[in-house]
């Protein structure tokens, strides 16, 4: 029996746009990707349910410092709904709780979908990771326990009908963080009078990042290990929506020695700061539109 070779981890910095496969948790996907890149440090930017496929941005090394920024980002999904069948979880993994005849017309759909755009309230599902007294709700649900959940505000920016086959709907949904697409499926089914559940879900956008160009784990595995780093986007791929400030000359020298620099008027909130076209960190202007090094989340690149 050959001795087991100890895994050697290394510093890897960048962002991987992963096309997650169905049946895999976000953490499983992250750990498999970390091993493929031998990345010492990694994190994901928000979970994607095992049932769902599609875009899961993964951060390695210094990019993990900014992964939280995508937690608040808007998302876009393609969702498939089965009309006439309701389940206890709101998706295909649940137990069927009711069936009904489907007499839905395109006009019915055109009437109902606008009811779910804009600012709406959603009651989180029992089959979710939200906790009650320290226990995830899904654990209670598995024991047949149901507890009251307070409705939460979410925003549905747009719902587009992609396909309707009589008993199945395929929708494109652009929404805010915290939106449960399976709850949306249940609510749409209720509004149509026949019930519904989610049968497939694919995430196509997270913030400014899109599924086009994302890679599966199998595709990455087929590439020679030494060449896999070319699959990564730069660290600032997560930051493209932030204003950019470039430091040069005297300003760069002052900043590198711990002194503040003056910023252009009109900047507020987070900004990304570059020196010689190299990202050095992200920070926020202080009083008087001045940026101090101590207010910068700096990168070790």
């Amino acid at each position: 029996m050959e001795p087991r070779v100890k895994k050697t981890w290394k510093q890897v910095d960048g962002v991987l746009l992963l096309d997650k496969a169905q049946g895999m948790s976000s953490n499983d996907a992250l750990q498999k990707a970390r091993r493929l890149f031998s990345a010492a440090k990694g994190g994901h930017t928000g979970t994607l349910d095992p049932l769902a496929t599609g875009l899961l941005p993964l951060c390695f090394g210094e990019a993990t410092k900014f992964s939280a920024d995508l937690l608040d980002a808007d998302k876009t999904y393609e969702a498939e709904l089965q009309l006439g069948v309701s389940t206890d979880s709101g998706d295909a993994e649940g137990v069927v709780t009711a069936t009904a005849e489907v007499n839905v017309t395109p006009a019915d759909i055109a009437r109902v979908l606008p009811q779910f755009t804009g600012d709406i309230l959603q009651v989180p599902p029992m089959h979710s990771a939200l906790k009650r007294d320290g226990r995830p709700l899904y654990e209670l649900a598995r024991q047949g326990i149901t507890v009251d959940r307070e409705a939460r505000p979410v925003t549905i920016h747009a719902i587009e009908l992609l396909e309707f086959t009589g008993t199945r709907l395929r929708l494109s949904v652009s929404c805010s963080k915290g939106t449960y697409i399976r709850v949306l499926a249940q609510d749409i089914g209720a509004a149509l009078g026949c019930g519904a559940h989610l049968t497939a879900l694919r995430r196509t956008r997270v913030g400014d990042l899109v599924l086009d160009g994302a890679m599966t784990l199998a595709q990455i595995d087929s590439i020679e290990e030494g060449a896999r780093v070319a699959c990564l986007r730069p660290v600032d791929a997560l930051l493209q929506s932030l204003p950019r400030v470039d430091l040069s000359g005297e300003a760069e020298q002052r900043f590198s020695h711990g002194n503040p620099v003056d910023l252009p008027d009109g900047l507020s909130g987070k900004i990304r700061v570059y020196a010689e076209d190299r990202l050095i960190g992200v920070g926020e202007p202080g009083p008087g539109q001045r940026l101090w090094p101590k207010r910068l989340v700096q990168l070790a690149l």
Side-chain angles (χ1 to χ4, degrees):
M1 182 176 179
E2 295 184 2
R4 184 176 179 180
V5 178
K6 186 177 180 180
K7 181 71 174 177
T8 300
W9 302 99
K10 59 187 179 181
Q11 180 70 28
V12 177
D13 301 300
V15 178
L16 174 66
L17 301 187
L18 181 69
D19 184 350
K20 188 187 82 67
Q22 188 175 21
M24 178 180 295
S25 74
S26 294
N27 189 60
D28 285 343
L30 169 64
Q31 299 310 324
K32 290 179 183 296
R34 274 190 64 214
R35 293 194 68 84
L36 287 174
F37 288 91
S38 300
K41 184 178 181 181
H44 58 67
T45 58
T47 58
L48 195 57
D49 286 346
L51 172 71
T53 66
L55 184 60
L56 180 65
L58 302 179
C59 300
F60 298 126
E62 291 296 281
T64 60
K65 293 180 178 180
F66 310 116
S67 60
D69 292 299
L70 279 193
L71 295 178
D72 295 332
D74 291 339
K75 318 286 194 305
T76 300
Y77 299 89
E78 287 187 5
E80 186 176 284
L81 283 61
Q82 172 67 57
L83 302 181
V85 181
S86 302
T87 69
D88 59 354
S89 64
D91 60 26
E93 296 181 336
V95 176
V96 175
T97 57
T99 59
E101 186 177 357
V102 179
N103 294 305
V104 174
T105 67
D108 294 328
I109 298 170
R111 171 182 54 82
V112 163
L113 292 186
Q115 299 175 21
F116 296 96
T117 58
D119 297 328
I120 65 171
L121 293 175
Q122 277 194 338
V123 177
M126 280 299 302
H127 291 265
S128 69
L130 294 177
K131 292 186 177 181
R132 174 66 60 87
D133 298 327
R135 296 183 63 189
L137 292 183
Y138 63 78
E139 287 186 1
L140 300 177
R142 289 169 183 169
Q143 298 174 17
I145 301 173
T146 300
V147 297
D148 291 334
R149 288 95 65 204
E150 186 176 348
R152 297 184 172 192
V154 298
T155 302
I156 309 296
H157 302 294
I159 303 179
E160 179 186 356
L161 176 63
L162 301 178
E163 186 178 10
F164 173 49
T165 61
T167 58
R168 287 184 179 267
L169 292 179
R170 193 162 64 88
L171 306 173
S172 173
V173 180
S174 177
C175 57
S176 67
K177 71 168 185 174
T179 301
Y180 289 96
I181 303 298
R182 51 201 162 105
V183 172
L184 181 65
Q186 290 176 309
D187 292 344
I188 289 174
L192 289 170
C194 59
H197 71 279
L198 186 69
T199 57
L201 185 66
R202 185 160 177 78
R203 189 158 68 186
T204 59
R205 180 182 292 272
V206 178
D208 293 326
L209 304 177
V210 297
L211 183 60
D212 291 344
M215 302 184 69
T216 65
L217 289 172
Q219 289 172 324
I220 298 167
D221 192 29
S222 69
I223 299 172
E224 184 181 352
E225 183 171 359
R228 289 172 188 163
V229 68
C231 301
L232 299 179
R233 308 290 175 94
V235 169
D236 62 353
L238 302 179
L239 308 171
Q240 296 304 301
S241 62
L242 300 182
R244 171 172 173 159
V245 171
D246 287 270
L247 302 181
S248 60
E250 182 181 349
E252 180 187 348
Q253 288 294 322
R254 286 178 51 79
F255 198 76
S256 66
H257 287 90
N259 298 306
V261 294
D262 295 323
L263 297 174
D265 292 335
L267 291 178
S268 62
K270 290 184 178 180
I271 58 173
R272 47 193 171 118
V273 183
Y274 292 76
E276 296 182 356
D277 210 32
R278 177 179 64 86
L279 178 69
I280 60 174
V282 172
E284 295 189 39
Q289 284 296 102
R290 308 192 88 192
L291 179 66
W292 291 81
K294 64 183 178 181
R295 295 177 65 94
L296 201 70
V297 177
Q298 298 195 38
L299 298 180
L301 295 176

